Amino acid sequence: MPTIAIQLNPALLSNPDLDLRYVVPETIEARSGRMVSDDGFDYGRTSDRMTVFLRTADVEASIPAVLDALDVEILGNRLLEEGVIIATAAQDHCHDENEYTVVYPIESRAFSLE
């Protein structure tokens, strides 16, 4: 199943609260009408980045809903303004970062599993 990966860099967040790993997917699930669902999280292999994974049957339809859901304050953070990177992959939890395509911000190529 396709994956949406939301990468958070705690150094860029106003409030790098670890509860984001739970609150971000819950917020997106609720605000998207359950178009996406929580699929876990992971930390960078060599960094303190956190990636929240979401599963969806329709990536193209889900991205606008994800962006809308992240355009609110979550635990004191405005994630779309604080360095969040959103990428998609055709498969669930790809371990090769080259399989991900960044969809937000458009000009970014900085998605990394490191």
Side-chain angles (χ1 to χ4, degrees):
M1 180 168 283
T3 293
I4 298 172
I6 301 168
Q7 193 163 78
L8 307 171
N9 183 341
L12 302 175
L13 299 176
S14 297
N15 180 24
D17 189 323
L18 289 178
D19 284 345
L20 286 165
R21 64 185 175 230
Y22 305 116
V23 177
V24 166
E26 288 171 0
T27 301
I28 295 170
E29 282 181 18
R31 292 182 53 100
S32 73
R34 306 258 181 246
M35 186 182 303
V36 298
S37 60
D38 185 0
D39 198 22
F41 68 94
D42 203 357
Y43 294 104
R45 296 176 192 138
T46 60
S47 74
D48 55 358
R49 290 186 195 114
M50 178 173 47
T51 303
V52 174
F53 296 97
L54 304 169
R55 76 180 75 151
T56 181
D58 188 346
V59 170
E60 287 186 36
S62 299
I63 292 299
V66 169
L67 290 169
D68 181 61
L70 293 178
D71 197 24
V72 299
E73 186 173 302
I74 300 175
L75 296 178
N77 299 287
R78 298 292 300 195
L79 297 175
L80 293 183
E81 300 167 11
E82 296 184 37
V84 70
I85 297 172
I86 303 170
T88 62
Q91 300 298 317
D92 188 30
H93 285 270
C94 295
H95 296 290
D96 181 353
E97 59 199 31
N98 293 317
E99 295 184 50
Y100 289 89
T101 302
V102 174
V103 295
Y104 183 88
I106 300 299
E107 68 279 356
S108 177
R109 299 204 189 284
F111 185 82
S112 173
L113 296 172
E114 293 303 318

